[in-house]
Amino acid sequence: MKTALSHIALALGALALSSQLLAEPKRPECIAPAKPGGGFDLTCKLAQSGLKDNGLLQAPMRVTYMPGGVGAVAYNAVVAQRPKDAGTITAFSSGSLLNLAQGKFGRYDENAVRWLAGIGTDYGAISVRADSPYQTLDDLVQALKKDPGSIVFGAGATIGGQDWMQTALIARAAGIDPKALRYVAFEGGGETLTAMLGGHVQVTSSGLGEVTPQLAANKIRVIAVLSDQRLPGKLANLPTAKEQDYDITWPVIRGFYMGPEVSDADYAWWKGQFDTLLASPEFAKLREQRDLFPLSMTGDELKAYVFKQVQDYKALAGEFGLVQ
């Protein structure tokens, strides 16, 4: 009897694996809409490792880079040129949603793609080099009050983008006109950090996960994390803006979307893989290693979240005169 049951179990297991392989795309790909080294790269590589390590993707998933417009080029390419591509997922962040809210992705809005999965959250961070004279956020603010043009900010977005918005909110809280700040836009967080380490800019505004590798190497100092309270674990020594009397928070969702004409069956396969991945303790550890925090949403739940965020960002952009 036991032998018969074992044979049945093996047959069912083989059938399940066969079904997965039939549904799985032959050449899975994750598009990171920027150059290597930033938050989009981090997001794709987290999925790449998680899906492989948990046996949810048999074929190796490649990461390709499609910089331009802080996500605009990739968004337009997926919608217009690869709408049915069942093997492609594309990384997005809160910065993508902020740009969508301002119409920076051209003729396509938040309805143009299929929102797949949110796999973690990051927080905004204001960082300086380890040898910077600015020890605290207030040191930076006081210097800006004396001469807003004396400090050059670097960020992976144009004016109106997520990284700019983080500095603008701090400037507004300090009574400084955000338009008076000197701001250099780069294509992605990796370039921004390189520019600061090279002394070309004095301050970076980014996602915290983008700078923690250099933090561990003692090359930078984070003077403000834009979270409600101090983060746990190895990041617990990083001060928040709120505790320094600047009531600014900026959570950053990291996740994926797919083309608008991907079949329901292919979309459901990917959703199922991410549902399984997000429920696994192994993935929780992998996410923590990359200094991201729990946030798990797929399908309709993520779509509702995205649509609400876009509306909220439209209101915020309007406050800064960024939406006509």
Side-chain angles (χ1 to χ4, degrees):
M1 183 68 175
K2 288 184 179 180
T3 302
L5 289 174
S6 298
H7 288 162
I8 291 171
L10 286 171
L12 289 173
L15 180 62
L17 179 59
S18 176
S19 297
Q20 175 177 327
L21 291 175
L22 285 173
E24 180 178 312
K26 293 181 179 178
R27 298 187 64 203
E29 173 188 17
C30 183
I31 296 175
K35 294 181 179 179
F40 291 135
D41 191 10
L42 180 152
T43 307
C44 277
K45 287 179 177 173
L46 178 57
Q48 181 187 51
S49 298
L51 291 167
K52 177 185 176 183
D53 294 349
N54 284 271
L56 297 170
L57 199 58
Q58 303 303 312
M61 183 165 71
R62 61 196 174 109
V63 176
T64 57
Y65 302 94
M66 196 178 290
V70 195
V73 169
Y75 199 85
N76 279 263
V78 169
V79 175
Q81 300 167 23
R82 304 168 68 172
K84 299 179 181 180
D85 195 336
T88 300
I89 62 175
T90 304
F92 80 93
S93 71
S94 298
S96 311
L97 306 185
L98 180 60
N99 284 343
L100 276 171
Q102 298 174 63
K104 290 187 175 182
F105 282 6
R107 60 195 176 103
Y108 300 118
D109 63 12
E110 65 274 19
N111 293 286
V113 299
R114 302 195 73 169
W115 300 98
L116 176 62
I119 63 169
T121 188
D122 195 358
Y123 291 93
I126 307 299
S127 308
V128 296
R129 279 184 15 166
D131 58 359
S132 170
Y134 309 118
Q135 298 292 318
T136 66
L137 180 59
D138 198 56
D139 287 346
L140 176 63
V141 167
Q142 295 308 317
L144 289 170
K145 283 184 175 180
K146 290 180 182 178
D147 183 2
S150 65
I151 299 168
V152 182
F153 287 83
T158 56
I159 289 177
Q162 174 173 264
D163 295 342
W164 178 89
M165 189 65 75
Q166 292 175 176
T167 61
L169 288 168
I170 290 171
R172 185 173 71 175
I176 301 168
D177 182 0
K179 294 178 181 178
L181 300 180
R182 291 179 63 192
Y183 187 86
V184 179
F186 296 90
E187 185 59 54
E191 282 191 356
T192 307
L193 189 56
T194 299
M196 186 174 76
L197 293 174
H200 304 294
V201 301
Q202 286 75 56
V203 184
T204 62
S205 172
S206 67
L208 182 60
E210 296 176 63
V211 298
T212 46
Q214 297 299 333
L215 183 67
N218 295 316
K219 291 186 176 182
I220 68 163
R221 181 168 60 253
V222 176
I223 59 174
V225 177
L226 307 185
S227 58
D228 284 315
Q229 55 192 10
R230 288 207 179 197
L231 300 174
K234 63 183 180 181
L235 304 176
N237 64 326
L238 302 181
T240 67
K242 292 188 79 167
E243 72 186 64
Q244 298 178 75
D245 297 323
Y246 296 92
D247 190 12
I248 307 297
T249 59
W250 193 275
V252 181
I253 184 175
R254 298 206 177 277
F256 305 95
Y257 62 81
M258 299 187 75
E261 297 177 32
V262 169
S263 73
D264 289 345
D266 289 325
Y267 177 85
W269 183 86
W270 278 103
K271 180 182 180 301
Q273 304 310 95
F274 274 107
D275 283 335
T276 302
L277 179 67
L278 292 168
S280 74
E282 293 80 12
F283 181 73
K285 293 177 182 177
L286 194 63
R287 180 169 54 197
E288 182 180 352
Q289 289 170 5
R290 286 161 172 76
D291 299 312
L292 294 181
F293 299 89
L295 183 145
S296 300
M297 288 187 284
T298 62
D300 289 341
E301 182 184 9
L302 176 64
K303 180 180 177 180
Y305 174 90
V306 165
F307 279 35
K308 183 180 185 304
Q309 284 295 101
V310 170
Q311 292 306 311
D312 290 347
Y313 287 150
K314 283 181 180 178
L316 181 62
E319 293 176 18
F320 285 96
L322 299 171
V323 176
Q324 300 298 324

